[in-house]
Amino acid sequence: MLVATAVPVERDAVAGAFAGPGREVRPPGVTLHHVGEGYDLLAAGVGPALAAASTATALTAAALDGAPYGLVVSAGIGGGFLPDAPVGSLVVADAITAADLGAETADGFLPVTDLGFGTVTHRPPDSLVRETAAAAGARTGTVLTVSTVTGTAERAAALRTRHPTALVEAMEGFGVAEAAAAHGVPVLEIRAVSNPVGPRDRAAWRIGDALAALTGAFGKLTPVLEGWNRHDQ
């Protein structure tokens, strides 16, 4: 299994849940941390483009080595849409959606699918979403991927209007999911809420609390991840 995170600070959250810090492996352009038997951690970088490129590199290296991954998990923190996803809560994505991939028109935003090409949503396996959410005590809903973090109430309202089931916005999940889909590997996204989506207010961020929630979640997920069969999705 490959766990892709946005920033290296989340390494301990995953490593501590499995078998300790492990060792580093460096395919071209990325650093993988082997944190347990069958578990690798990748600090994929911030934003969908870098996350996609880093994840694709790791997946390709594993496939060429004859040991392809069976699952990719995108894990990190994100902004929560109040009141459904308060700070400190956990969300497991039942849909991973690119919120701003498309075109602005006089009649409003058009997703790239309405333009006749591409995709804007990847859906993790239903059974894995249910089991992960139950084990972690998490909500399930759409996790949006954005390239620009929301900083106004107006944009937050517009995103929720276009995506009424959205609980979280983050910056990497869709990129990770695109890379996984290209390799035919299922994907899962887990987010801990560090701040409300809306007017930018650094004083309202609770990154430490979100990382603690993420650490606790991974401590409960080993049986789910080890017992899940991708053919039961």
Side-chain angles (χ1 to χ4, degrees):
M1 184 187 76
L2 177 66
V3 180
T5 73
V7 290
V9 72
E10 292 161 19
R11 172 182 174 179
D12 291 340
V14 180
F18 298 115
R23 61 186 180 86
E24 291 185 352
V25 178
R26 296 179 178 269
V30 300
T31 300
L32 286 168
H33 303 277
H34 291 319
V35 295
E37 183 63 34
Y39 296 96
D40 290 345
L41 175 65
L42 169 69
V46 176
L50 183 55
S54 299
T55 304
T57 297
L59 288 168
T60 300
L64 292 175
D65 196 40
Y69 294 106
L71 175 67
V72 177
V73 179
S74 177
I77 60 177
F81 288 94
L82 298 178
D84 300 310
V87 172
S89 64
L90 291 164
V91 173
V92 177
D94 58 17
I96 302 168
T97 296
D100 48 12
L101 182 61
E104 293 288 350
T105 75
D107 297 320
F109 178 80
L110 288 179
V112 71
T113 48
D114 286 5
L115 302 176
F117 54 92
T119 185
V120 294
T121 295
H122 292 281
R123 296 193 179 277
D126 289 340
S127 63
L128 184 58
V129 170
R130 289 194 305 270
E131 293 171 20
T132 299
R139 297 165 172 81
T140 61
T142 299
V143 174
L144 302 179
T145 298
V146 296
S147 294
T148 301
V149 173
T150 297
T152 67
E154 292 76 14
R155 186 168 189 259
L159 285 175
R160 200 70 189 278
T161 297
R162 290 207 306 264
H163 307 282
T165 63
L167 295 182
V168 169
E169 74 163 24
M171 301 184 75
E172 294 79 32
F174 186 78
V176 173
E178 285 276 82
H183 282 261
V185 179
V187 66
L188 181 71
E189 183 170 12
I190 305 170
R191 292 284 166 176
V193 177
S194 59
N195 57 278
V197 178
R200 186 172 174 80
D201 179 11
R202 290 291 297 270
W205 293 7
R206 297 291 182 268
I207 293 177
D209 292 344
L211 290 175
L214 192 64
T215 301
F218 269 97
K220 301 171 184 176
L221 293 185
T222 303
V224 173
L225 297 175
E226 290 182 346
W228 180 72
N229 185 336
R230 65 181 295 179
H231 301 294
D232 294 336
Q233 59 185 296

